[in-house]
């Protein structure tokens, strides 16, 4: 049987998990915006500069690209103001529409090499919709992290990833930027969050959301190299990128923990 200390520990741990779910739920729309806006920015920029081009860039395609970010801006605003059910309903509606838009037009038989990217594409949206549906008192998630801090980090990540998408580099240099920068920034943010019990639990809950977002280009290169070209070059590159991200994460955890220890010691003296 559990003693008083055991029950207290269980209760405290459950409280941390509930708060972590609130933090994850209000961060999900921001993570998805970081994925959507950079992908839509090049086409929207071309449309603004050149207008519609037959067979290349249509008004409908641009509107569709812009609709996703707009939906999740609304979802973020609703979630941050504790309108949980409206935010969750809108998130589910977009997830279902996105899945149907990918699956229904295809008449061929799906292979494993195609199902895996599709699953990774939908996983962040399904996870976000589930978190928004099952989490109450979302405003507390904003209060726990701090609205200003969330917006600052969101602006940094969004600005960096959008700039990379618009970068004039080509070939391997561009591909490396697309892979390393979002993954490296995500590793830094997670490393800083991992210094607290709330942050560690939030990372676990957000893993299905941000891992597909930042690893999609890496996995695409690895799978294309393996299945289409029968080469291990892409797989080796993917392993190197992931190991580098883990190293950045570990270094950030170490440095953040060291600063925290120094700050605690100075406060005690």
């Amino acid at each position: 049987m559990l003693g008083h200390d055991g029950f207290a520990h269980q209760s405290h741990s459950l409280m941390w998990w509930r708060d972590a779910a609130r933090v994850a739920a209000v961060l999900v729309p921001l993570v998805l915006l970081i994925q959507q806006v950079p992908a839509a920015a090049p086409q929207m920029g071309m449309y603004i500069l050149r207008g519609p081009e037959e067979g290349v860039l249509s008004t409908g395609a641009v509107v569709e690209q812009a609709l996703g970010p707009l939906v999740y801006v609304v979802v973020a605003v609703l979630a941050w103001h504790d309108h949980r059910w409206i935010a969750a309903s809108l998130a589910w509606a977009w997830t279902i529409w996105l899945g149907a838009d990918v699956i229904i037009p295809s008449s061929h038989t799906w292979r494993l090499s195609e199902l895996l990217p599709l699953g990774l594409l939908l996983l962040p949206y399904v996870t976000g919709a589930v978190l928004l549906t099952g989490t109450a008192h979302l405003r507390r998630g904003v209060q726990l992290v701090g609205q200003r801090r969330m917006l600052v980090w969101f602006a940094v990540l969004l600005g960096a990833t959008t700039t990379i998408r618009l970068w004039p580099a080509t070939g391997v240099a561009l591909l490396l930027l697309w892979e390393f920068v979002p993954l490296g920034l995500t590793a830094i943010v997670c490393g800083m969050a991992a210094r607290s019990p709330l942050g560690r639990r939030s990372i676990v809950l957000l893993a299905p959301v941000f891992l597909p977002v930042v690893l999609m280009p890496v996995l695409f290169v690895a799978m294309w190299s393996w299945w289409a070209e029968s080469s291990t070059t892409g797989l080796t590159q993917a392993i190197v990128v992931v190991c580098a991200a883990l190293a950045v994460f570990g270094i950030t955890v170490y440095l953040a923990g060291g600063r925290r220890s120094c700050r605690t010691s100075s406060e005690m003296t």
Side-chain angles (χ1 to χ4, degrees), residues 35-36 64 72 92-105 118 121-122 125:
Q35 177 195 24
Q36 294 171 338
E64 185 177 345
Y72 277 91
W92 277 117
W94 177 260
T95 303
I96 293 169
W97 184 89
L98 183 62
D101 186 55
V102 174
I103 295 171
I104 291 176
L118 176 62
L121 172 68
L122 294 179
Y125 296 93

Side-chain angles (χ1 to χ4, degrees), residues 155-228:
V156 170
L157 287 164
L158 182 62
T161 50
T162 304
T163 301
I164 292 166
R165 287 284 181 170
L166 299 174
W167 197 262
T170 58
V172 176
L174 179 60
L175 187 60
L176 290 176
L177 284 172
W178 280 15
E179 291 177 4
F180 276 109
V181 174
L183 191 57
L185 289 172
T186 302
I188 291 172
V189 172
C190 290
M192 294 177 66
R195 60 187 179 182
S196 70
L198 175 63
R200 289 190 291 271
R201 288 165 172 81
S202 299
I203 291 171
V204 171
L205 294 175
L206 279 170
V209 180
F210 59 68
L211 281 182
V213 170
V214 297
L215 288 180
M216 184 71 79
V218 179
L219 292 175
F220 175 79
V221 171
M223 291 174 62
W224 177 262
S225 176
W226 182 264
W227 273 299

Side-chain angles (χ1 to χ4, degrees), residues 98-122:
L98 183 62
D101 186 55
V102 174
I103 295 171
I104 291 176
S106 300
S107 58
H108 66 279
T109 303
W110 288 84
R111 295 177 296 177
L112 178 61
S113 59
E114 296 170 316
L115 288 174
L116 183 57
L118 176 62
L120 286 172
L121 172 68
L122 294 179

